[in-house]
Amino acid sequence: MPVALAQTASSTNIQPYIDRVKNQITEFTLDNGMKFIVMERHQAPVVAFETYVTIGAAYEEEGKTGAAHFLEHLAFKGTNRIGTTNYRAEKPLLDRLDRLFEQIEAAKAANRTEEANRLQQEFAQVRQEATAFVRQNEYGQIVEQAGGVGLNAATSADATMYFYSFPANKLELWMSLESERFLDPVFREFYEEKDVILEERRMRTDNSPIGKMIEQFLETALPGHPYGRPVIGSEADIRGLTRQDIIQFFDTYYTPDNMIATVVGDVDPDRVKELAQAYFGRYKVRSSAPDVQATLPKQTQPKEVLLQLPTQPWYMEGYQRPAITDPDEVVYQVISSILGDGRTARLYQSLVLNNQLALDYSISNSFPGDRYSNLMLIYALTGPGHTVEEIAAVFDAEFNRLKTEPVTAEELDRVKTQSRAGLLQTLASNEGMASLLAEYEAKTGSWRNLFELIPAIEAVTPADIQRVAQATFRPEKQTIGKLLSTDAPVLPGR
């Protein structure tokens, strides 16, 4: 069924289409534990690939935040064959840089300034010598020259994803490049990349009022929980990370059983399996690290975070909610859509359209991850002449409305139609499917659960919405954030 028609069809009418899509998918697991999910579709001679590592920032040690994101950056730096003109000559220089860094840090800690300066000069010289052997961005150049597009990666609290697309006749090249990338990585240009990441943190957080607010908000709302730490890492931790820290993180967590590869497009599944065994089968079986313990302490009273910075005021509220595997997951998704999706959404109507209280707003069904218990987060940027208290009053009114008034059949049907259309658009996208198949496999135990979404959403009732709203939007589960302008008076809590 064409997607344009499917978007307006009922879930009953689109079920045959979903079944056909589902039947295009096969899976296999290599002897080393690495899983492959293959979706065969021949509409165009292209293939989308994703390597999904089920390890994100939640797995980092205290004091070493930012390691997962740092590793993601370094995964583009090549191997002992890619990214270097002479690895045999380069390696001693990389090792020397690591020793010098440790010596510099020790000299600084002991206030031996003259020694630290001398070592810093030597460090700069060795760094320059090492750089002479580097072939800048060779991995990316190989991909681009072979017709690859969209080469990128992302790190979240839950996972690290590496992805791009190739012409269908480059399947074996992807197998070769991607397997080599994690078979024998060389984390070169470590100190140059540290500077890049520190600048990224400055832009996203240190120089961003809302970035600062969200970081402090999570620390307050999720104390002692891995989601309470910044994915990009704290500045002090980033500065203190060593190349050995990243190597250790890689060796501990980038085990084959923590890796899922998705291949979606114009491929023969049997050929994919043959090549996967030849290339990724080279990965040795390694002991898997224990899963992270991420139980959220029960919140018994509201919390508040207050910041004053040179910015237009922002207001946010977060409410504790369970993980993606909770039976009410789709109800949270529907609530999020009712409140925030599109121009018919309740918050758009009450905050933006009718009263111009806010310039912008956002709602996240689960934040900053969803593998473990997390937050439903809602925030808004106040409009000129308006206050965070006015935003708070609208939030209260809309949450109470969800708790006390059944959603109309018309509104619920509209949200279900939007959800159906969104999923169908994803089903039609190679890149979208490569991403979601891996995510559902990792977080819910099976990629097949993705195809249960539409019937699950169709089954949501007004009573379900009221029940979940009543259980969620409670004062003892609430964390409030107020980001006020530096010239605004600080008022007592509401």
Side-chain angles (χ1 to χ4, degrees):
M1 176 183 293
V3 173
L5 296 177
Q7 287 175 354
T8 59
S10 70
S11 61
T12 302
N13 294 336
I14 66 172
Q15 193 57 48
Y17 170 75
I18 291 175
D19 290 341
R20 285 200 299 275
V21 171
K22 192 175 177 180
N23 289 335
Q24 294 172 317
I25 301 171
T26 57
E27 64 176 284
F28 60 88
T29 302
L30 301 179
D31 291 343
N32 56 26
M34 184 172 178
K35 173 160 278 191
F36 279 74
I37 304 169
V38 184
M39 181 174 181
E40 182 182 7
R41 51 166 39 141
H42 302 290
Q43 288 93 332
V46 293
V47 188
F49 303 93
E50 179 165 313
T51 301
Y52 187 103
V53 185
T54 64
I55 300 299
Y59 285 77
E60 295 162 350
E61 295 179 33
E62 288 285 351
K64 295 183 179 180
T65 60
H69 176 247
F70 209 139
L71 198 162
E72 174 223 306
H73 277 237
L74 295 175
F76 289 86
K77 298 301 180 180
T79 67
N80 57 15
R81 296 191 300 169
I82 298 173
T84 184
T85 59
N86 185 344
Y87 183 62
R88 182 174 293 182
E90 179 191 20
K91 186 178 186 303
L93 297 173
L94 298 179
D95 294 338
R96 178 63 179 152
L97 284 173
D98 294 339
R99 291 193 295 272
L100 284 168
F101 177 78
E102 291 178 2
Q103 293 167 4
I104 290 167
E105 292 299 293
K108 287 179 178 178
N111 292 319
R112 299 194 300 268
T113 306
E114 186 175 339
E115 180 185 355
N117 290 339
R118 177 180 58 78
L119 290 167
Q120 193 71 55
Q121 290 176 352
E122 184 180 353
F123 181 91
Q125 178 61 38
V126 176
R127 183 167 160 176
Q128 187 174 1
E129 292 175 22
T131 300
F133 293 103
V134 175
R135 284 179 170 156
Q136 293 283 341
N137 193 33
E138 186 173 25
Y139 189 94
Q141 290 171 5
I142 294 171
V143 170
E144 185 178 346
Q145 288 166 6
V149 294
L151 175 66
N152 212 331
T155 304
S156 71
D158 291 328
T160 310
M161 296 77 72
Y162 303 87
F163 44 86
Y164 59 97
S165 297
F166 254 153
N169 62 359
K170 301 298 181 183
L171 172 65
E172 187 166 4
L173 178 59
W174 178 84
M175 291 282 182
S176 174
L177 285 173
E178 195 73 353
S179 62
E180 195 85 7
R181 182 187 211 177
F182 300 114
L183 179 68
D184 187 23
V186 174
F187 299 138
R188 57 175 56 89
E189 295 186 288
F190 175 85
Y191 301 97
E192 290 85 349
E193 208 60 30
K194 180 179 286 195
D195 293 337
V196 170
I197 292 169
L198 285 167
E199 179 59 27
E200 186 179 342
R201 180 188 159 83
R202 278 191 288 273
M203 291 176 59
R204 286 187 185 180
T205 305
D206 301 328
N207 294 338
S208 165
I210 189 61
K212 278 187 175 182
M213 181 62 179
I214 288 176
E215 189 166 286
Q216 292 197 24
F217 188 90
L218 288 176
E219 289 175 2
T220 302
L222 304 170
H225 192 284
Y227 286 167
R229 304 193 297 256
V231 170
I232 198 169
S234 72
E235 180 180 354
D237 287 356
I238 296 168
R239 290 190 182 281
L241 284 172
T242 66
R243 196 163 66 102
Q244 188 55 45
D245 289 329
I246 305 303
I247 292 171
Q248 182 177 345
F249 190 86
F250 175 83
D251 289 342
T252 301
Y253 291 115
Y254 273 56
T255 54
D257 59 323
N258 279 332
M259 300 175 74
I260 301 166
T262 49
V263 181
V264 180
D266 186 16
V267 293
D268 174 359
D270 292 336
R271 180 61 173 160
V272 172
K273 186 173 184 178
E274 177 188 350
L275 291 172
Q277 289 172 333
Y279 287 98
F280 288 92
R282 297 179 294 169
Y283 290 5
K284 297 277 193 294
V285 175
R286 306 208 311 270
S287 298
S288 184
D291 200 9
V292 67
Q293 298 301 308
T295 303
L296 192 61
K298 184 176 181 180
Q299 188 173 336
T300 58
Q301 59 185 6
K303 302 175 183 179
E304 182 169 324
V305 180
L306 178 64
L307 279 182
Q308 282 197 281
L309 296 168
T311 178
Q312 185 75 10
W314 292 78
Y315 178 77
M316 64 179 58
E317 290 186 12
Y319 292 86
Q320 286 190 359
R321 56 144 296 176
I324 190 174
T325 51
D326 187 83
D328 285 323
E329 165 62 21
V330 292
V331 185
Y332 284 101
Q333 292 184 27
V334 170
I335 289 175
S336 178
S337 294
I338 290 170
L339 289 172
D341 285 355
R343 291 179 173 268
T344 58
R346 292 183 176 187
L347 287 177
Y348 180 81
Q349 296 287 320
S350 55
L351 285 177
V352 180
L353 186 63
N354 296 335
N355 302 306
Q356 290 83 51
L357 298 178
L359 296 175
D360 193 15
Y361 74 92
S362 182
I363 180 166
S364 178
N365 167 47
S366 50
F367 188 82
D370 57 8
R371 183 181 293 175
Y372 308 106
S373 51
N374 56 85
L375 297 175
M376 176 174 272
L377 181 68
I378 310 98
Y379 58 95
L381 172 63
T382 61
H386 294 286
T387 66
V388 295
E389 285 73 27
E390 290 175 279
I391 303 291
V394 169
F395 282 8
D396 278 350
E398 293 299 350
F399 299 155
N400 284 329
R401 186 178 164 199
L402 282 174
K403 291 190 287 186
T404 58
E405 299 177 14
V407 175
T408 67
E410 180 183 9
E411 185 175 21
L412 186 54
D413 185 60
R414 182 169 62 245
V415 166
K416 290 178 178 181
T417 300
Q418 289 170 346
S419 299
R420 212 160 45 232
L423 179 57
L424 287 163
Q425 286 176 337
T426 301
L427 294 180
S429 162
N430 287 355
E431 294 80 4
M433 286 304 293
S435 175
L436 279 184
L437 288 170
E439 184 174 10
Y440 270 77
E441 177 69 30
K443 292 181 178 179
T444 73
S446 174
W447 55 265
R448 293 172 180 82
N449 292 323
L450 170 63
F451 297 93
E452 301 303 318
L453 266 182
I454 286 182
I457 289 174
E458 287 295 326
V460 173
T461 67
D464 291 328
I465 294 168
Q466 268 191 287
R467 172 178 54 80
V468 173
Q470 289 166 358
T472 302
F473 299 119
R474 301 175 61 88
E476 65 270 21
K477 292 187 174 184
Q478 178 191 66
T479 301
I480 293 171
K482 296 179 180 179
L483 176 53
L484 304 180
S485 175
T486 48
D487 58 2
V490 178
L491 301 175
R494 65 190 182 114

